[in-house]
Amino acid sequence: MAKLELTESFEKALSKVPIDIQEKAADKIDSLLEGKTGSIRLHRLTGFRPPLWKMDVMPNKSWQIVLEIIGDTYRLLDIATHKEMDRYSQKQRAKR
């Protein structure tokens, strides 16, 4: 059974997004834990070691969650708009 770990940075970011996005994110996280990855468009980000993954919260890809997969644990790192997530990816690449 898959496990979920919410980082402090994810919880902080989640608390700042609109309530309807929070609710949709909860639904998508449930889908992730149930193994329904097609509905969330889970995909690996290139250029990261250890690998980072991104999943869509909204069908139009306007909100996304970035995460790590460690064994059977999904470690959620951040939630942001697609544009903010692109900036997040650039910052993370610069750190590594």
Side-chain angles (χ1 to χ4, degrees), residues 2-42:
K3 298 176 202 155
L4 185 66
E5 178 186 338
L6 306 178
T7 62
E8 187 176 323
S9 60
F10 177 81
E11 289 179 332
K12 183 178 178 181
L14 185 65
S15 71
K16 295 179 181 179
V17 303
I19 195 76
D20 61 319
I21 302 300
Q22 291 179 24
E23 292 168 353
K24 194 69 168 173
D27 290 343
K28 296 300 181 171
I29 291 167
D30 287 344
S31 293
L32 176 69
L33 293 173
E34 293 168 4
K36 299 176 184 173
T37 56
S39 67
I40 59 175
R41 216 176 70 85
L42 180 67

Side-chain angles (χ1 to χ4, degrees), residues 1-94:
M1 173 119 185
K3 298 176 202 155
L4 185 66
E5 178 186 338
L6 306 178
T7 62
E8 187 176 323
S9 60
F10 177 81
E11 289 179 332
K12 183 178 178 181
L14 185 65
S15 71
K16 295 179 181 179
V17 303
I19 195 76
D20 61 319
I21 302 300
Q22 291 179 24
E23 292 168 353
K24 194 69 168 173
D27 290 343
K28 296 300 181 171
I29 291 167
D30 287 344
S31 293
L32 176 69
L33 293 173
E34 293 168 4
K36 299 176 184 173
T37 56
S39 67
I40 59 175
R41 216 176 70 85
L42 180 67
H43 55 285
R44 186 175 174 171
L45 297 174
T46 58
F48 291 98
R49 294 272 182 225
L52 293 180
W53 298 78
K54 190 163 60 169
M55 63 185 241
D56 294 328
V57 174
M58 303 298 289
N60 66 2
K61 305 172 191 160
S62 60
W63 285 87
Q64 299 175 327
I65 294 174
V66 68
L67 61 137
E68 292 177 312
I69 301 173
I70 304 166
D72 63 350
T73 302
Y74 296 107
R75 185 171 186 253
L76 306 187
L77 304 173
D78 200 2
I79 182 171
T81 64
H82 191 170
K83 188 173 187 176
E84 291 167 336
M85 199 58 71
D86 287 345
R87 282 189 230 130
Y88 176 88
S89 296
Q90 290 171 352
K91 283 194 307 190
Q92 293 303 312
R93 279 192 188 100

